[in-house]
Amino acid sequence: MPALGTVARALSTCWLLLCALAGSHQLSITEFAVPSTVEAGNNAELQCLHSDAERVDYVKWWWTPMYAASEDKNRVLLYQRLTGHTPEIPKKNVEGRENDTIVLMDLHSYDSGVYECEVSNVAEVRRHQELIVYSNGTGVELNVSKVEDGPDEDDLEEVLVQCEVHEATPLPDLSIFVDDVKFDNVTVDVEEDSNGVYNVFLNLTLSSDVVADGSNIRCELSYPNHNVSHQYTSEIVYNSGTALSTTETPEDTTQSELASELKNKNGVSNRSRWILYAVPVVFAILNNLL
Ligand SMILES: *[C@@H]1O[C@H](CO)[C@@H](O)[C@H](O)[C@H]1NC(C)=O
Ligand SMILES: *[C@@H]1O[C@H](CO)[C@@H](O)[C@H](O)[C@H]1NC(C)=O
Ligand SMILES: *[C@@H]1O[C@H](CO)[C@@H](O)[C@H](O)[C@H]1NC(C)=O
Ligand SMILES: *[C@@H]1O[C@H](CO)[C@@H](O)[C@H](O)[C@H]1NC(C)=O
Ligand SMILES: *[C@@H]1O[C@H](CO)[C@@H](O)[C@H](O)[C@H]1NC(C)=O
Ligand SMILES: *[C@@H]1O[C@H](CO)[C@@H](O)[C@H](O)[C@H]1NC(C)=O
Ligand SMILES: *[C@@H]1O[C@H](CO)[C@@H](O)[C@H](O)[C@H]1NC(C)=O
């Protein structure tokens, strides 16, 4: 019986040793990098480095499209390198680099999806990340014009604000701000294309007492998908004398875009900061009077 015990002990020691050996050679992906958002037209570098290079059988990159029709949502092989062979890259807009890094060239809306790296020997390890291509398409186009009084209480002329974007990706949101106040009573129409690009049309009718000459009217494109934090804006300074369109004043647009970016960065516009200072002053005056 003691002999059996010794054998068992020897076996378990052996097993531990094997584990330790296997552990030291464990296959893993040591560095994995896929950008989560990329603006259309740019390239993206995807990195997948792994341990234990000499015992790897193959490395593959896969892509699962986000927008393909449901029947062909299958993974697409982008890259494969079998040990001892040169890499094969079956997809046209993909270039191979050293160490299984790939570069996706000139990204379009339809390149959005999940990118996965697979490294295999007897074991297999995988890492994946969603990459979203974003774009303002043909740009945010804003028009403001005066229209006849509509079916409301007053007899005032009205101001029609129209904002649209064509071929934007992913699904965008348009919002209208007049002097930094957002108007929610807008009418929105969305057209969807199978490639993941969207046309969005927005309409808002305002009574002319809401919009004074010199008012700043801004159309803002953002994305409901919070992983895409980029925003685009187009803005116009209202002048009741003329019809206005951002397409007609491109220089002004870029300038005011910069201004609004600055304002957004600071969080508060100068106008609201003025109120922040004014309120305590008013209270101080009232205090002295009472
Ligand atoms: C590829 O990997 C090798 C070994 O880790 C390293 O020496 C080399 O710098 C890497 N090449 C690039 C372009 O990162
Ligand atoms: C659309 O995006 C491009 C690229 O970022 C930018 O140059 C352009 O100003 C944008 N247009 C509008 C109207 O937002
Ligand atoms: C803005 O006005 C221009 C010129 O009148 C027109 O071509 C364009 O379609 C209008 N865009 C919108 C968003 O109404
Ligand atoms: C916007 O207004 C125009 C002109 O009144 C109209 O033709 C169009 O259908 C409206 N679009 C939406 C999305 O309400
Ligand atoms: C939207 O709201 C503004 C301000 O409250 C108002 O002047 C305008 O008439 C409203 N438009 C519609 C279509 O209800
Ligand atoms: C944003 O990205 C994270 C990490 O990639 C992911 O888990 C999450 O689902 C994404 N959110 C949306 C709204 O797609
Ligand atoms: C806010 O005020 C500062 C100076 O006080 C000025 O430089 C800046 O242009 C103003 N910004 C806006 C958006 O008006």
Side-chain angles (χ1 to χ4, degrees), residues 39 135-141 230-234 253-254 257:
E39 188 165 34
S135 162
N136 65 357
T138 56
V140 180
E141 202 180 301
H230 208 86
Q231 289 189 344
Y232 299 95
T233 63
S234 207
T253 308
T254 46
E257 262 175 32

Side-chain angles (χ1 to χ4, degrees), residues 90-220:
K91 198 150 176 297
K92 208 164 75 246
N93 68 332
V94 177
E95 285 186 4
R97 298 279 194 268
E98 234 179 290
N99 298 340
D100 304 312
T101 293
I102 58 171
V103 179
L104 313 176
M105 312 297 290
D106 185 19
L107 287 164
H108 288 78
S109 60
Y110 45 78
D111 293 312
S112 291
V114 174
Y115 287 83
E116 182 176 61
C117 173
E118 177 186 336
V119 181
S120 182
N121 51 26
V122 277
E124 180 187 278
V125 285
R126 298 155 181 267
R127 289 282 297 275
H128 68 268
Q129 161 74 37
E130 186 174 82
L131 181 155
I132 298 173
V133 179
Y134 66 91
S135 162
N136 65 357
T138 56
V140 180
E141 202 180 301
L142 175 64
N143 281 9
V144 177
S145 53
K146 279 198 294 185
V147 291
E148 300 281 297
D149 181 39
D152 54 8
E153 314 278 283
D154 60 48
D155 295 328
L156 293 168
E157 268 187 323
E158 286 174 341
V159 177
L160 176 63
V161 179
Q162 290 171 293
C163 183
E164 60 187 60
V165 64
H166 294 257
E167 294 169 30
T169 189
L171 174 66
D173 246 351
L174 294 180
S175 356
I176 296 292
F177 296 81
V178 178
D179 290 334
D180 293 331
V181 176
K182 187 176 174 186
F183 283 77
D184 287 320
N185 57 347
V186 296
T187 313
V188 177
D189 247 7
V190 177
E191 288 173 3
E192 181 180 357
D193 183 290
S194 60
N195 280 331
V197 299
Y198 298 83
N199 301 336
V200 180
F201 307 88
L202 174 150
N203 261 17
L204 169 64
T205 312
L206 297 170
S207 46
S208 55
D209 55 355
V210 178
V211 196
D213 274 11
S215 288
N216 176 284
I217 301 177
R218 181 168 101 239
C219 182
E220 193 172 284

